[in-house]
Amino acid sequence: MTERAAVTAESVYKVFGQGAHAVHALENVSLSIQQGEFFTLLGPSGCGKTTLLRLIAGFEMPSGGHILLDGQDVTDLPPNKRPVNTVFQSYALFPHLSVRQNVGFALKMQGRPKAEIDGRTEQMMALVKLESMADRKVAQLSGGQQQRVALARALAPQPKVLLLDEPLSALDLKLRKEMQVELKRLQTETGITFVFVTHDQEEALTMSDRIGVMSAGKLQQVASPRDIYTAPVNRFVANFIGETNLLPVTAAKGGYQLGCGVIVSADGNGSTLSIRPEQIRVADSKAKGAIEARVTNLVYFGTDVHAHLELGDGAKMVARLPLPPGGDTGLMRGSNICVDFVPGAARLIGE
Amino acid sequence: MAERNFEVSRLPGFATTAIIVFIILYLPIITLMVYSFNGGASIALWEGFSLRWYEIAWNNDAVKSATMRSLTIAAAASVISTVLASMAALGTTRRDKFKGQTVIYVLINQPLMVPEIVTAVALLIFFAAVKVATGYQGLGYLIAAHSAFCIPFAYLPIRARLEGMDLTLEVAASDLYASSWQTFTNVTLPLLMPGVLAGAMLAFVISLDDVIITEFVKSGGQDTLPTYMLGQLRRAITPEVNAISTALLGLTVVMLTAFFLLTRKKN
């Protein structure tokens, strides 16, 4: 690739504490985020995603490795010398300043001329639709409005990269959905590279160009939302993103053999088969790859039914079966049925 | 049946006790205030309302110079002790935990724990030696002494304010291109200001009120208002003392109210 990456992490390590109490927050993380990309770091709490963000911002120094911004090594630069801005989880708005002063803060610190500060501040407040609130104190704003101020403040100095640390987690569901759309719009309009940290897989899937899934201080997989969902590389990614059924398999002639004896086809490498609940369908007992199962439970979800299945060898699966217009699948608890996998949907994954 | 919580106010005799305590606390002060308006020369015999003693106190040159001296010392001591206390508070909160932290707290708050008379005697002896060595006789000794014992009173509200402050704000400032100094002047200091003002006000009141250390440290002709009044008590007591006390009380109440409003505002 000829274009320089917006953010590059080269074998980054971060250790907190010393000796026996040392916590390895990041282990050998290497990553390249492209210009103008909406990149999401996704993982459970404590996985190191926020630490990685803080290393990019300069709030923490890596214990090893390098951080590059736009091709320049910034590992030793303090936060105020880095062309990145952060939207904090708590927003961290200055309570003693008005909305306008908050938004113009960075430009003032940079010593820009007053006319430029005023112009850009107005522009930014218009971008987040807060012109009418300009002279209020931030404490007088609602959570959603504070969120917008935080965004405008971080975007005002036109950073090369905008870092967002779980910015939507404090909002209620409806507002969160609105802000997801809003964030995506801002990113498209400004063309700025966004690095977004979240533990919410749905947020990650709907907004991102690419997702980096993290666990235990390591990057597990970096790929597009579609690839992360359809082709997870390991058990952690398959389990963390969406729901899945994991079944042990052994290689056999013509495919892979399940514990119950049925041979199915699957892509990928590994000894575990991952099949999403919606990729399991009711099949004719004579069809190739049909699996006999007993229905142990049925859970109604409105648009579909979750059928809990037990296979011949005692293995368990959940199938999500769409409800026909009549609203009845005809299945009964305790009955025996045959199911098969949608062709191409089953993936083999490593540990 | 709902369980009733234990409430002190339901105990028998609660109201009576409370009323007695308030009378003991405030009756002497109210008497003092009332007799400051006495027309006669007695502090116990009411002879009609008059502002005479206020006028006399106001025109008394000794009272005037003592008041000016008190205010000068209190102002200087509160500025000096607040600056030092702010630096101490920043130094003890804006850093990682360090060895000997508790020892530092104890050292800063020493004037709260050492009996004042001990400090007074120590300062008397120490300053006597300094006076002999330098020949300087001015107000500097009193200002230095007052600054020292005011530090913990200024330190406590400032430190409380700093500890309640969201550290993310300073991180955010540095993220938004502010240098360390810019962060301090644009974010930390403005947010710390209510604590600083509260500290300064408390220090001012404490300095204004001091007798023991002042009595030991002052040179001849360096009476402050409290030591002047103490001197007057050895002679004939007139309602002039009441008038001065009432005025001093008024000033203190104003300052402490301001202190209360400033410290409360952060919520």
Side-chain angles (χ1 to χ4, degrees):
Chain A
M1 191 162 290
T2 50
E3 201 184 4
R4 278 179 312 205
V7 181
T8 310
E10 287 177 354
S11 354
V12 168
Y13 287 82
K14 179 67 189 176
V15 184
F16 291 106
Q18 283 175 337
H21 302 290
V23 177
H24 296 261
L26 290 175
E27 280 183 61
N28 197 14
V29 171
S30 292
L31 178 66
S32 186
I33 299 170
Q34 302 309 314
Q35 308 274 1
E37 194 170 24
F38 196 121
F39 190 92
T40 299
L41 287 167
L42 175 67
S45 59
C47 72
K49 57 192 192 302
T50 296
T51 303
L52 182 55
L53 198 79
R54 292 175 65 82
L55 287 173
I56 298 171
F59 306 146
E60 307 275 1
M61 292 286 161
S63 312
H66 294 272
I67 304 279
L68 280 74
L69 290 173
D70 204 17
Q72 188 205 353
D73 191 334
V74 296
T75 313
D76 297 322
L77 290 183
N80 58 324
K81 299 271 168 61
R82 299 189 184 195
V84 298
N85 291 121
T86 307
V87 176
F88 293 86
Q89 187 170 12
S90 61
Y91 313 146
L93 299 176
F94 303 123
H96 59 300
L97 301 179
S98 67
V99 170
R100 188 194 303 278
Q101 288 167 322
N102 264 284
V103 175
F105 187 87
L107 299 166
K108 192 178 155 205
M109 293 303 112
Q110 288 176 318
R112 303 279 184 86
K114 192 174 180 309
E116 188 193 333
I117 297 177
D118 292 348
R120 271 207 69 70
T121 306
E122 287 303 324
Q123 199 185 331
M124 280 302 130
M125 287 187 299
L127 188 69
V128 296
K129 306 187 184 89
L130 275 177
E131 304 99 313
S132 57
M133 308 279 176
D135 295 308
R136 296 219 192 154
K137 283 271 160 81
V138 290
Q140 295 168 290
L141 305 182
S142 69
Q145 289 165 338
Q146 293 189 2
Q147 170 76 82
R148 287 163 191 275
V149 178
L151 271 168
R153 184 180 72 172
L155 285 169
Q158 293 173 301
K160 292 216 170 77
V161 180
L162 185 74
L163 307 174
L164 303 107
D165 185 9
E166 306 215 23
L168 308 183
S169 59
L171 304 178
D172 62 45
L173 187 66
K174 187 165 171 288
L175 208 50
R176 205 182 314 159
K177 298 272 179 214
E178 280 174 32
M179 283 308 295
Q180 287 177 8
V181 178
E182 185 80 8
L183 273 178
K184 194 70 193 164
R185 173 182 75 87
L186 284 175
Q187 199 256 335
T188 319
E189 273 180 33
T190 57
I192 291 173
T193 310
F194 276 32
V195 181
F196 187 88
V197 160
T198 185
H199 62 268
D200 183 332
Q201 41 135 332
E202 188 194 311
E203 217 164 80
L205 290 175
T206 54
M207 296 164 76
S208 325
D209 294 322
R210 277 197 306 156
I211 299 173
V213 182
M214 291 186 74
S215 166
K218 296 190 183 96
L219 261 179
Q220 304 291 331
Q221 186 171 9
V222 179
S224 69
R226 172 180 279 277
D227 287 350
I228 291 270
Y229 189 78
T230 58
V233 293
N234 60 28
R235 184 181 282 265
F236 176 82
V237 177
N239 257 326
F240 192 73
I241 316 290
E243 289 162 37
T244 197
N245 297 294
L246 296 172
L247 302 165
V249 289
T250 47
K253 191 163 168 264
Y256 297 89
Q257 190 171 32
L258 298 173
C260 61
V262 178
I263 293 175
V264 294
S265 57
D267 296 329
N269 296 303
S271 56
T272 305
L273 181 141
S274 164
I275 182 79
R276 301 282 179 192
E278 69 274 18
Q279 309 282 17
I280 301 174
R281 54 192 184 180
V282 179
D284 188 84
S285 62
K286 293 182 196 75
K288 187 173 171 286
I291 306 160
E292 277 183 38
R294 197 169 64 85
V295 181
T296 57
N297 199 6
L298 287 166
V299 184
Y300 179 71
F301 270 82
T303 52
D304 46 35
V305 161
H306 288 196
H308 294 245
L309 306 173
E310 192 177 304
L311 308 189
D313 61 329
K316 291 184 170 59
M317 290 198 309
V318 176
R320 191 189 294 172
L321 305 170
L323 281 169
D328 192 0
T329 53
L331 292 180
M332 300 246 290
R333 190 173 301 174
S335 64
N336 288 312
I337 58 165
C338 278
V339 294
D340 70 353
F341 302 154
V342 172
R347 291 286 307 183
L348 292 179
I349 56 172
E351 281 310 301
Chain B
M1 229 170 62
E3 239 181 287
R4 296 175 84 185
N5 291 327
F6 172 74
E7 262 187 51
V8 174
S9 61
R10 284 210 200 90
L11 291 178
F14 175 81
T16 323
T17 314
I19 289 167
I20 291 172
V21 167
F22 277 116
I23 288 174
I24 293 171
L25 273 177
Y26 288 101
L27 189 63
I29 294 176
I30 291 167
T31 317
L32 171 112
M33 287 165 71
V34 168
Y35 277 94
S36 73
F37 298 106
N38 194 357
S42 165
I43 55 163
L45 202 69
W46 182 252
E47 289 174 48
F49 180 84
S50 151
L51 287 175
R52 176 182 156 202
W53 295 108
Y54 284 91
E55 204 185 325
I56 288 171
W58 184 257
N59 291 319
N60 184 335
D61 284 339
V63 172
K64 259 195 247 178
S65 74
T67 306
M68 281 317 293
R69 202 170 291 113
S70 269
L71 291 176
T72 310
I73 293 169
S78 92
V79 169
I80 294 170
S81 61
T82 305
V83 170
L84 293 176
S86 301
M87 295 199 287
L90 284 165
T92 48
T93 56
R94 283 297 181 272
R95 53 168 300 163
D96 295 334
K97 282 209 157 69
F98 56 99
K99 260 192 186 161
Q101 201 165 13
T102 323
V103 177
I104 297 280
Y105 287 152
V106 172
L107 288 179
I108 291 170
N109 293 317
Q110 174 259 43
L112 292 180
M113 285 165 257
V114 177
E116 205 182 342
I117 189 73
V118 175
T119 312
V121 173
L123 286 174
L124 171 75
I125 297 165
F126 179 71
F127 284 150
V130 177
K131 275 178 198 172
V132 170
T134 62
Y136 173 69
Q137 298 282 343
L139 272 187
Y141 299 110
L142 279 173
I143 292 174
H146 279 228
S147 301
F149 71 70
C150 283
I151 287 175
F153 296 98
Y155 174 77
L156 292 175
I158 296 173
R159 192 182 133 208
R161 179 89 192 167
L162 267 175
E163 282 180 342
M165 206 186 281
D166 182 3
L167 277 175
T168 325
L169 295 175
E170 288 169 5
V171 174
S174 72
D175 183 60
L176 296 162
Y177 311 116
S179 63
S180 307
W181 179 246
Q182 281 176 316
T183 301
F184 179 71
T185 55
N186 286 283
V187 177
T188 315
L189 198 55
L191 290 171
L192 191 57
M193 221 47 201
V196 170
L197 289 178
M201 233 157 275
L202 208 54
F204 189 90
V205 170
I206 297 291
S207 161
L208 207 58
D209 181 48
D210 182 72
V211 175
I212 301 176
I213 288 178
T214 313
E215 191 67 39
F216 277 74
V217 170
K218 72 180 166 90
S219 306
Q222 285 188 342
D223 264 323
T224 63
L225 208 48
T227 61
Y228 168 80
M229 285 158 69
L230 188 66
Q232 288 302 296
L233 293 183
R234 293 186 192 121
R235 296 181 210 136
I237 307 172
T238 64
E240 187 185 355
V241 174
N242 295 37
I244 298 168
S245 303
T246 306
L248 198 56
L249 178 68
L251 179 64
T252 312
V253 166
V254 168
M255 307 262 324
L256 288 179
T257 309
F259 164 80
F260 173 73
L261 290 176
L262 284 169
T263 42
R264 195 191 54 165
K265 212 182 159 187
K266 76 175 170 191
N267 298 329

